[in-house]
Amino acid sequence: TLCLFGAAAATEWPLMMRSGHLATIAEHPLDFVGAAALGLAVNFVTMLLVQATSSLFTKVLNTFRCICLVVVGVVFYGEVISGVELVGYTVALIGFAGYNYVQMTAVAK
């Protein structure tokens, strides 16, 4: 955390100060505190998920979440994806389905 803080202070803050965007944080402090709290909550929930399942399941679930986020962006916000991206998302979804199938058949045996 301190390394990221230092890197942001060295690389991003000067531009934010020159452009006047640093005042945005002062204008909306609760939004930034809320975003930080939600990020911390996601990290704790991820840790609990790894403890309850496995790190591989968490990785697969995160991939599925990212794909769902892209689908929402395309369907509701009109974002455009390239053919290569579409193939990549399709491969990831097939992998997710395959993982679930293997897990379900392993439990049944």
Side-chain angles (χ1 to χ4, degrees):
T1 303
L2 290 177
C3 290
L4 290 176
F5 181 82
T11 60
E12 296 177 8
W13 289 5
L15 177 62
M16 288 174 62
M17 291 171 70
R18 283 193 304 271
S19 63
H21 291 139
L22 197 58
T24 304
I25 298 171
E27 293 169 3
H28 307 281
L30 293 179
D31 293 339
F32 285 88
V33 169
L38 288 173
L40 183 63
V42 166
N43 284 329
F44 279 118
V45 168
T46 301
M47 180 188 67
L48 293 172
L49 182 64
V50 169
Q51 289 177 348
T53 58
S54 71
S55 60
L56 178 61
F57 179 78
T58 304
K59 180 70 175 167
V60 170
L61 191 62
N62 185 50
T63 301
F64 183 70
R65 179 192 64 86
C66 292
I67 291 169
C68 289
L69 186 62
V70 169
V71 170
V72 167
V74 169
V75 171
F76 294 108
Y77 299 110
E79 293 184 14
V80 179
I81 59 172
S82 70
V84 173
E85 290 172 322
L86 183 61
V87 169
Y89 296 132
T90 303
V91 168
L93 277 174
I94 291 170
F96 180 76
Y99 173 80
N100 283 328
Y101 175 76
V102 168
Q103 289 298 322
M104 288 183 350
T105 56
V107 170
K109 290 182 180 179

